[in-house]
Amino acid sequence: MSTLDATRAELALVVLYLNKAEARDKICRALQYGSKFLSNGEAGTAQNVDKSTSSARKVFRLFKFVNDLHALISPTPQGTPLPIILLGKSKNALLSTFLFLDQIVWLGRTGIYMNKENTELIGRISLFCWMGSSVCTSLVELAELGRLSRSMKKLEKDLKNTDKYQNEAYNYKLKKSNETTLALVKAGMDIVVAVGLLQLAPKKVTPRVTGGFGFVSSLISCYQLLPSPSKSKTN
């Protein structure tokens, strides 16, 4: 493959990535929380970037609550334990509620909805919903890690006299385990961000801590949305 072909292929991946509304939202989120980290809650350019990017992101999320509403009423895979099903559905319900209420907050900040006091109250309720959904996500990912760990140990016993890394099923479970671990770390960071935004522990979770955790969480989200090179070649 020539240098031009390689460059074209790499640019195709970038275009594929940026065509996703979710990817653009997460890039803006990284910019928002990076600015919050730099400003540390103090007035200035960084805080202005934080606030303006936060408002802009709300437009990206218009009607996004439908996604989790659909997931809430969709059937779960067979064999999924009931506690994980309940936690998953709770996560969908809370996240859908957060995204719906967030639209009302956007209406309030643009002046379409005129009740400022209610807008602030709805904003806090929506953040509590997001924090709740992050807690549910953490518990779901933790339970999935436990299931995968038991499954991998059982598979390791079956592959005792062979190279387990040459086994397709083992590699799939290992990849799944890594992805679940990353999702668990992200969910844990999002809980800290929610605590910071709600100012539940202002002395410990300062704007800088909130910004730092939010920035890293956003980078993880950006990574999770990266297109697979193998998929892009078939499009």
Side-chain angles (χ1 to χ4, degrees):
M1 183 183 287
S2 66
T3 305
L4 181 60
D5 288 336
T7 304
R8 191 182 294 117
E10 289 171 1
L11 282 175
L13 285 175
V14 173
V15 170
L16 184 65
Y17 184 72
L18 294 177
N19 276 343
K20 299 177 181 178
E22 185 76 7
R24 294 196 300 273
D25 175 52
K26 298 310 178 187
I27 291 170
C28 288
R29 187 177 189 264
L31 181 62
Q32 174 193 345
Y33 284 106
S35 301
K36 187 180 287 293
F37 174 80
L38 293 173
S39 72
N40 194 27
E42 298 175 2
T45 303
Q47 190 181 68
N48 292 338
V49 173
D50 172 18
K51 290 181 178 179
S52 61
T53 310
S54 175
S55 298
R57 286 186 60 228
K58 294 187 186 302
V59 180
F60 280 112
R61 298 199 294 262
L62 286 175
F63 301 108
K64 192 180 172 184
F65 70 93
V66 175
N67 294 356
D68 279 278
L69 190 61
H70 179 263
L72 178 63
I73 62 176
S74 297
T76 53
Q78 284 190 338
T80 306
L82 182 59
I84 294 181
I85 292 174
L86 294 175
L87 283 169
K89 295 301 181 183
S90 298
K91 180 202 81 169
N92 295 139
L94 288 165
L95 193 54
S96 183
T97 303
F98 158 69
L99 292 167
F100 177 76
L101 294 177
D102 199 49
Q103 293 184 136
I104 300 175
V105 174
W106 175 74
L107 291 173
R109 290 182 181 174
T110 54
I112 298 172
Y113 180 61
M114 305 297 288
N115 195 317
K116 186 178 179 181
E117 187 177 328
N118 280 354
T119 299
E120 293 301 320
L121 177 61
I122 291 169
R124 282 189 66 81
I125 293 170
S126 71
L127 285 173
F128 273 111
C129 288
W130 180 53
M131 184 171 69
S133 74
S134 297
V135 171
C136 289
T137 301
S138 297
L139 294 173
V140 168
E141 302 299 350
L142 201 58
E144 284 295 336
L145 267 180
R147 292 177 70 198
L148 282 167
S149 177
R150 289 191 295 272
S151 178
M152 289 173 71
K153 284 179 180 178
K154 184 180 177 182
L155 194 56
E156 282 175 0
K157 288 181 180 178
D158 296 338
L159 301 170
K160 202 170 185 179
N161 298 320
T162 60
D163 185 0
K164 60 186 179 184
Y165 296 108
Q166 297 297 321
N167 184 272
E168 190 175 336
Y170 184 84
N171 285 330
Y172 172 78
K173 289 180 186 295
L174 182 62
K175 182 185 175 185
K176 199 75 176 172
S177 177
N178 292 336
E179 290 172 351
T180 304
T181 301
L182 192 62
L184 176 61
V185 170
K186 180 190 174 302
M189 287 187 163
D190 284 341
I191 293 170
V192 177
V193 173
V195 169
L197 294 175
L198 287 163
Q199 296 185 325
L200 299 179
K203 291 184 179 180
K204 292 184 178 180
V205 188
T206 62
R208 178 151 287 167
V209 172
T210 304
F213 273 77
F215 181 71
V216 175
S217 168
S218 302
L219 292 182
I220 292 173
S221 294
C222 290
Y223 172 77
Q224 289 172 325
L225 290 167
L226 283 173
S228 168
S230 58
K231 287 181 183 177
S232 64
K233 288 176 183 177
T234 60
N235 290 340

